[in-house]
Each structure stands twice: as C-alpha cells, then as structure tokens.
Amino acid sequence: MEEVLAYAAAGLVGLWGVTHAIPTRAVVAGFGEISQDSRRVLVQEWLAEAVTMWSLAALVIVVTAVGAGTSTADWAYRVIAGTLLVLAGLTALTGARTSVVWFKVCPVLMTGSAVLLLVAGLG
C-alpha cells in the first residue's frame, strides 16, 4: 500500500508541474506591459515551480522504486511532504488570495499529496 500511495502522490505532483508549465506564456501575458527583465524573472519563477514539482515527483518515484519499506524512504516521504506543505502554505497566503481558481486548487492538491506521502511513510 505504501508504494501505491507514494506513486499516487508523485503522479499528482508531477502532473501539477505539467499543468503549471503549460500556461506560462498566457500567465506572463496576463501581467500586461512589463519590462523585459520583469518578464524574464516571471518566466523563471513560474517555470522554477514546475521544475520543483517534477523534481519532487521524480524523487518520490526513485525512492519508492529502490527503497520502499525502508526507514530511508519513510524519512524521504516526510521531508518531501514537509516541502509540499510549505509550498501549499506559501500559495495559500499569496496566489490563492487572487481570483485565479488554479491558485486556490494548488494548496489543496499539495496538501493532499503531502498527506498521501505521510501515510505512506507510516510503513
């Protein structure tokens, strides 16, 4: 069951990274006329979150594939869950306070994925 929960969390987080990256151009355009430097920073930060999601998902997949059932995997799940909870909190205090629905979904999805990992880590 640990593996199913961990892979489910990885799938959710990884797919969320994809859905985060796809609208990058539209998100940047939504800011209207901004300087080229501001545009570059916005793209960088927007894609950095997607890369973070992909990296966390990949780490869960690798840890699960090579070490499921070990205390190392359990601790990795806990650390990754903590990271997801911090990101969920950050988004809840910032982006989720806007009118953009996807920012409101993000903390729920990240928290749900963190819970899956914490339960998986109970071994």
Side-chain angles (χ1 to χ4, degrees), residues 13-59:
V13 172
L15 287 174
W16 192 247
V18 171
T19 62
H20 201 281
I22 289 172
T24 301
R25 186 178 306 240
V27 168
V28 173
F31 280 85
E33 293 299 317
I34 58 175
S35 71
Q36 186 64 31
D37 284 348
S38 294
R39 184 174 308 282
R40 287 182 180 129
V41 170
L42 181 57
V43 168
Q44 170 192 322
E45 294 306 316
W46 193 262
L47 292 176
E49 179 136 352
V51 170
T52 299
M53 297 300 109
W54 297 330
S55 299
L56 293 173
L59 184 55

Side-chain angles (χ1 to χ4, degrees), residues 34-121:
I34 58 175
S35 71
Q36 186 64 31
D37 284 348
S38 294
R39 184 174 308 282
R40 287 182 180 129
V41 170
L42 181 57
V43 168
Q44 170 192 322
E45 294 306 316
W46 193 262
L47 292 176
E49 179 136 352
V51 170
T52 299
M53 297 300 109
W54 297 330
S55 299
L56 293 173
L59 184 55
V60 169
I61 290 166
V62 170
V63 165
T64 304
V66 301
T70 66
S71 65
T72 302
D74 294 343
W75 279 104
Y77 297 155
R78 292 174 190 138
V79 170
I80 296 165
T83 302
L84 291 171
L85 291 171
V86 168
L87 290 172
L90 175 64
T91 304
L93 294 172
T94 57
R97 297 174 68 190
T98 69
S99 62
V100 180
V101 173
W102 298 113
F103 283 129
K104 296 176 187 322
V105 171
C106 187
V108 175
L109 188 134
M110 294 296 128
T111 300
S113 297
V115 168
L116 290 173
L117 288 172
L118 290 172
V119 173

